[in-house]
Amino acid sequence: MPVISAPADFHVDDLYVDLRPILDTPLYLKCEGFNFAGSIKLKAAAAMVDDAERRGELTADSIIVESSSGNLGVALSMIAADRGYRFLCVTDTRCNLATRRLMEALGAQVHIITEPDPENGFLGARLDHVRHLCASDDRHVWLDQHANPHNWMAHYRTTAPAIAEHFPDLDVLFVGAGTTGTLMGCARYFKERRRPVTVVAVDSVGSVTFGGPSGPRMIPGLGTGVRPKLLDESFVDDVVHVPEAEAIRVAHRLAAGGFLFGGSTGTVVSGAMGWLAGGGKGGRGTAVAISPDLGERYLDSVYQTNWVSDIYGAHVLEHDSIRTR
């Protein structure tokens, strides 16, 4: 049994779910939600704060500031509380209420952007606000998860090697694309070691990350309104775009099997199912997908019947739709 003194010291890195009994798909799901921050974002948050400390950017007077749809904000709230920093999270109206309350419980200040930028959406508006904060008060230290190389380096050092060790015969890896930190860290790791692994990025319909048209997105976590500076498409073998309604259906299918995962996991698993069924390895190889978080923070959205029906239509949660699609 581990004994820890800092909350970031605990993380379960070797738990996988075989999804064949639930989804009849040959896919293993790497579960990243079992730590005190509740998501994979703890790795990037710790790496970025560590780097800022090494470079002397963070002092007793510093205020860490970051734009986040939720999970990174929680991770930074936890680390800031542990290390004695103030933290200000700039988010928007799509942030889950439970996530916002969790950040506030950990001592963070949360600023909610209510109007999207006309061209770059909510993310563009959030980033503009962060820039304004930094320009108005030099105590603010912006870690900038969308451009900070320590975001992807964290997964290059931890997430990808853990998968490689557990699955030496890995054929295809499915990774959700948000800031693309997890995606780029894993893709760089396997490509630089010349492992014959097909890396498939899974994005949301409406995201501009890979050049698609901008559109409304309500599930926080994956997709962007501004192309991430971290992204290098030369490391990515294929891209799948998933409509949010499909992500909802898959998340509910997983829940019907007893596994409550977040909305991003529904997106990644839906994309993996479609890719495996439609070609690629055709289900003959070893396939792994990464689950960023668990589902408790989505009880008022992804798992709330009225919320889903109002946004996507009542048919999304019809029994036959959940069980057979």
Side-chain angles (χ1 to χ4, degrees):
M1 177 181 294
V3 177
I4 64 172
S5 57
D9 291 344
F10 175 76
H11 184 81
V12 176
D13 206 37
D14 58 354
L15 178 62
Y16 297 82
V17 176
D18 184 348
L19 295 181
R20 281 174 292 190
I22 301 173
L23 302 178
D24 194 27
T25 297
L27 181 66
Y28 297 99
L29 189 63
K30 187 179 193 305
C31 302
E32 290 281 350
F34 293 97
N35 59 60
F36 283 104
S39 81
I40 196 171
K41 288 291 189 177
L42 177 58
K43 296 176 178 180
M48 292 188 295
V49 171
D50 288 345
D51 172 66
E53 288 180 334
R54 283 192 299 268
R55 291 186 288 106
E57 279 196 6
L58 290 173
T59 68
D61 293 329
S62 295
I63 304 170
I64 299 174
V65 60
E66 187 57 80
S67 162
S68 171
S69 61
N71 280 339
L72 184 78
V74 172
L76 286 173
S77 298
M78 187 190 79
I79 292 172
D82 176 55
R83 302 190 189 186
Y85 299 117
R86 285 175 288 177
F87 172 56
L88 168 60
C89 181
V90 179
T91 188
D92 60 62
T93 53
R94 298 170 299 176
C95 179
N96 296 319
L97 178 60
T99 300
R100 189 184 79 195
R101 288 179 172 173
L102 181 53
M103 287 189 280
E104 292 172 338
L106 289 165
Q109 180 183 352
V110 180
H111 180 87
I112 301 175
I113 299 295
T114 59
E115 294 293 333
D117 180 85
E119 294 185 2
N120 297 317
F122 276 112
L123 177 57
R126 280 162 32 191
L127 295 177
D128 285 344
H129 187 75
V130 171
R131 294 187 187 100
H132 173 75
L133 288 172
C134 293
S136 64
D137 188 339
D138 60 10
R139 293 177 300 169
H140 289 104
V141 176
W142 182 19
L143 300 176
D144 194 1
Q145 63 167 329
H146 295 274
N148 193 320
H150 290 274
N151 183 346
W152 69 260
M153 288 180 188
H155 302 288
Y156 185 95
R157 293 192 297 261
T158 61
T159 310
I163 296 171
E165 180 179 3
H166 200 86
F167 294 95
D169 58 346
L170 180 67
D171 291 293
V172 57
L173 177 65
F174 298 94
V175 189
T179 65
T180 69
T182 307
L183 173 65
M184 295 313 303
C186 292
R188 286 175 181 272
Y189 179 90
F190 286 109
K191 293 296 185 287
E192 290 180 5
R193 281 156 181 75
R194 301 187 182 279
R195 290 279 298 271
V197 175
T198 299
V199 177
V200 180
V202 183
D203 200 7
S204 297
V205 170
S207 167
V208 305
T209 299
F210 294 94
S214 176
R217 292 173 292 106
M218 296 303 298
I219 301 175
L222 297 188
T224 62
V226 179
R227 181 182 168 91
K229 294 180 181 179
L230 295 179
L231 177 62
D232 183 342
E233 292 189 56
S234 68
F235 288 94
V236 180
D237 298 302
D238 204 354
V239 180
V240 177
H241 286 87
V242 177
E244 288 192 332
E246 294 296 328
I248 294 285
R249 291 188 182 101
V250 171
H252 279 256
R253 286 184 66 184
L254 291 169
F259 291 100
L260 193 72
F261 289 106
S264 295
T265 300
T267 304
V268 174
V269 173
S270 176
M273 291 172 64
W275 193 91
L276 291 169
K281 297 294 179 181
R284 294 185 296 274
T286 299
V288 172
I290 298 176
S291 167
D293 61 4
L294 302 179
E296 289 90 342
R297 296 174 192 171
Y298 301 83
L299 294 178
D300 292 326
S301 55
V302 170
Y303 296 105
Q304 215 286 327
T305 303
N306 291 338
W307 186 90
V308 173
S309 297
D310 289 346
I311 296 173
Y312 307 102
H315 66 282
V316 172
L317 296 182
E318 291 176 356
H319 181 78
D320 290 343
S321 174
I322 296 300
R323 285 296 184 182
T324 63
R325 288 184 71 94

